[in-house]
Amino acid sequence: MSSNSPVGPRLTALDALHRSLGATMTDFAGWDMPLRYGSERDEHHAVRTRAGLFDLSHMGEITVTGPQAAALLDHALVGNIGAVKTGRARYTMICREDGGILDDLIVYRLAETEYMVVANASNAQVVLDALVERAAGFDAEVRDDRDAYALIAVQGPESPGILKALTDADLDGLKYYAGLPGTVAGVPALIARTGYTGEDGFELFVKPDHAVELWQALTEAGEGAGLVPCGLSCRDTLRLEAGMPLYGHELSTELTPFDAGLGRVVKFEKDGDFVGRTALEAAAERAAAAPPRVLVGLVAEGRRVPRAGYPVVADGKVIGEVTSGAPSPTLGKPIAMAYVDAAHSVPGTAGVGVDIRGSHEPYEVVALPFYKRQK
Amino acid sequence: MNIPQQLRYSKEHEWLSGAEDGVSTVGITEFAANALGDVVYAQLPEVGSTVTAGDTCGELESTKSVSDLYSPVTGEVTEINEDVVNDPSLVNSAPFEGGWLFKVRVTDEPADLLSADEYTAHTAG
């Protein structure tokens, strides 16, 4: 799966294949990953209208097993993980004792006493260390499975049809945020209906040895439907249009889930103590009493693209900061997500701009997401 | 990688055509366009302004980044490519043809512009 040499980036099982497809590669969290194969705009449109194929093997899989697997995760994470039914997944977060977000996660319950936690590549080690530390005293085992899986995603409206040609698994019965073990193109896979693009789609966790075979089978099955390989560049513009946060941009240890507008992921009603509970209760009260900065969408009136870190301004004063920005292939205009003072956060608020390298460009405040697919 | 023989090149990946009536055309190379990715915004120098060899005279913005545009020569800008302003993707689709950026009446050019072969070696490095 990866070359774990201390020098050089880690390579996914699909590395040679990416290079044979002419991918532009980029370092991402210590991994050499495809940034794009051709035009990132074309790849973006393919996912919105047809289908795209992604290598996401850099994501960090951590397996938690044992009689107290659920109890451990309820203690370690902010969500109500024990309540997740077998075969379902949950979006959740892991926080520090002070409530700061260490990472956002997807947790799959594979069996009564078996979970798979999927962390962001950049945080995988931090999450693993935290789970191991928090497992003390629990009858549960935390296993680093980063090298046990390759992860291939097929995303877009044509993805169910493409996948159906390759599997007998009951895809129609597989709801959004569910996962089931099955066989795809003869390869054993955990088939999950999750995604980070705003489209319907599937993520397939397979053994690294099977990755090339599966990728090629999907490529072949998707040929008629217009499936194309897609890199991380379009993944970023897709998730931005869908209003989905990216750790290191919209989420950080400096923020609690309540500061990020994601307080709903914190389940105070669950039994027992969990790491960060006290701090998060205080954060929830603070947020209720005096709204913190709000994560909003900004749409450019002009053509200049706001970037992460650029100040958001109104009446010549700084009222916020851009966390992610890009030209939106779907809207045809530059868009951004930004944290802005609550007073300026209502959609349609007049007089808001972004300081783009010294010039204040006008932007429209809109509610997130920028794009919602027609179900 | 396409590197036309008849052009000259700067180390910052701009190309310069031969002069017609003292006016040369400037653009960025296919190598630079590929490195940028999809160009979404082009800020070009103003017609009538003076550009200086090696200095920034505009910027090209792509999905992922902003890059300064350097002038390969010194002179007066006589024309800018309005087609690129309206459709910056021309820089990607035809960097040496329809994606040209501006025309300049050259008053001075640096001694270190590269031939096509030298630029080929420069990009292979």
Side-chain angles (χ1 to χ4, degrees):
Chain A
M1 165 99 199
S2 58
S3 61
N4 276 320
S5 60
V7 291
R10 300 173 69 162
L11 308 178
T12 80
L14 295 159
D15 189 76
L17 205 148
H18 297 317
R19 289 167 203 279
S20 74
L21 289 167
T24 301
M25 305 297 285
T26 187
D27 173 79
F28 188 86
W31 291 81
D32 218 7
M33 299 299 292
L35 183 67
R36 59 175 181 269
Y37 298 83
S39 153
E40 54 234 323
R41 194 187 295 119
D42 293 350
E43 291 170 23
H44 182 110
H45 287 311
V47 174
R48 284 273 176 263
T49 58
R50 303 187 305 275
L53 191 59
F54 295 83
D55 178 7
L56 304 176
S57 300
H58 59 312
M59 301 297 284
E61 299 88 357
I62 301 162
T63 304
V64 180
T65 55
Q68 287 194 293
L72 159 59
L73 290 172
D74 275 339
H75 163 72
L77 312 180
V78 300
N80 194 347
I81 310 302
V84 178
K85 291 188 171 59
T86 297
R88 298 306 305 268
R90 185 69 48 88
Y91 176 78
T92 186
M93 293 187 187
I94 180 167
C95 288
R96 299 192 308 200
E97 201 63 70
D98 70 358
I101 303 165
L102 281 173
D103 200 9
D104 61 339
L105 309 165
I106 294 180
V107 178
Y108 298 88
R109 190 168 201 168
L110 305 180
E112 184 61 27
T113 57
E114 183 179 2
Y115 289 88
M116 182 167 70
V117 176
V118 180
N120 284 301
S122 52
N123 293 327
Q125 191 64 48
V126 169
V127 173
L128 179 68
D129 293 347
L131 287 176
V132 167
E133 186 185 325
R134 294 173 191 188
F138 287 92
D139 187 5
E141 187 205 348
V142 176
R143 188 172 72 231
D144 178 2
D145 264 348
R146 277 178 287 183
D147 290 347
Y149 292 105
L151 175 56
I152 294 173
V154 53
Q155 296 277 312
E158 298 288 344
S159 57
I162 293 167
L163 206 52
K164 268 177 198 165
L166 296 174
T167 183
D168 296 333
D170 175 20
L171 296 184
D172 292 332
L174 189 70
K175 297 191 183 86
Y176 187 54
Y177 264 76
L180 87 172
T183 304
V184 182
V187 168
L190 172 68
I191 307 167
R193 199 166 200 158
T194 47
Y196 194 55
T197 60
E199 298 301 329
D200 193 7
F202 301 87
E203 296 189 322
L204 307 168
F205 297 85
V206 298
K207 286 196 173 113
D209 293 352
H210 293 143
V212 169
E213 192 183 337
L214 178 60
W215 179 281
Q216 286 169 335
L218 286 162
T219 301
E220 228 161 284
E223 208 169 357
L227 172 119
V228 297
C230 291
L232 293 183
S233 183
C234 79
R235 184 167 154 89
D236 192 41
T237 49
L238 289 159
R239 70 94 196 167
L240 176 59
E241 287 180 353
M244 294 174 171
L246 173 62
Y247 196 90
H249 288 259
E250 287 73 37
L251 309 175
S252 74
T253 51
E254 304 299 299
L255 299 170
T256 71
F258 296 94
D259 300 317
L262 290 164
R264 60 183 159 77
V265 305
V266 182
K267 303 298 183 193
F268 293 122
E269 67 275 16
K270 67 180 171 178
D271 291 337
D273 197 19
F274 63 92
V275 178
R277 181 191 274 271
T278 309
L280 288 167
E281 278 169 350
E285 277 170 35
R286 275 200 311 273
R293 281 188 168 177
V294 180
L295 190 65
V296 300
L298 298 174
V299 177
E301 292 170 27
R303 300 178 51 170
R304 306 193 68 185
V305 183
R307 304 285 177 184
Y310 286 11
V312 182
V313 291
D315 306 326
K317 289 192 189 68
V318 175
I319 56 148
E321 188 176 295
V322 172
T323 51
S324 296
S328 162
T330 305
L331 279 68
K333 301 173 185 174
I335 57 172
M337 284 199 271
Y339 282 112
V340 303
D341 293 345
H344 295 275
S345 66
V346 178
T349 301
V352 172
V354 176
D355 182 338
I356 298 191
R357 300 184 294 283
S359 72
H360 290 193
E361 304 279 334
Y363 278 78
E364 184 191 354
V365 179
V366 300
L368 293 169
F370 299 97
Y371 166 87
K372 217 177 183 126
R373 75 183 158 109
Q374 304 300 311
K375 303 214 168 150
Chain B
M1 190 67 65
N2 186 12
I3 299 178
Q5 276 296 327
Q6 74 279 16
L7 302 175
R8 284 175 305 142
Y9 299 88
S10 74
K11 286 180 179 148
E12 286 80 31
H13 308 285
E14 276 81 32
W15 57 261
L16 180 77
S17 74
E20 288 179 34
D21 303 330
V23 174
S24 293
T25 306
V26 173
I28 66 165
T29 64
E30 186 177 317
F31 176 89
N34 286 351
L36 276 175
D38 291 333
V39 177
V40 296
Y41 173 78
Q43 188 186 23
L44 301 176
E46 283 179 25
V47 172
S49 67
T50 300
V51 290
T52 305
D55 283 5
T56 62
C57 61
E59 59 185 35
L60 293 173
E61 184 140 34
S62 67
T63 299
K64 280 288 169 210
S65 64
V66 184
S67 296
D68 285 326
L69 174 66
Y70 296 91
S71 179
V73 290
T74 299
E76 186 194 340
V77 177
T78 60
E79 191 182 343
I80 62 168
N81 188 348
E82 292 290 352
D83 291 346
V84 160
V85 173
N86 294 324
D87 179 11
S89 71
L90 285 168
V91 175
N92 298 103
S93 56
F96 296 109
E97 293 92 21
W100 64 273
L101 299 177
F102 62 92
K103 296 191 175 178
V104 55
R105 186 173 301 285
V106 181
T107 55
D108 191 27
E109 66 173 62
D112 62 356
L113 289 177
L114 308 173
S115 68
D117 291 348
E118 288 166 331
Y119 180 69
T120 303
H122 174 64
T123 55

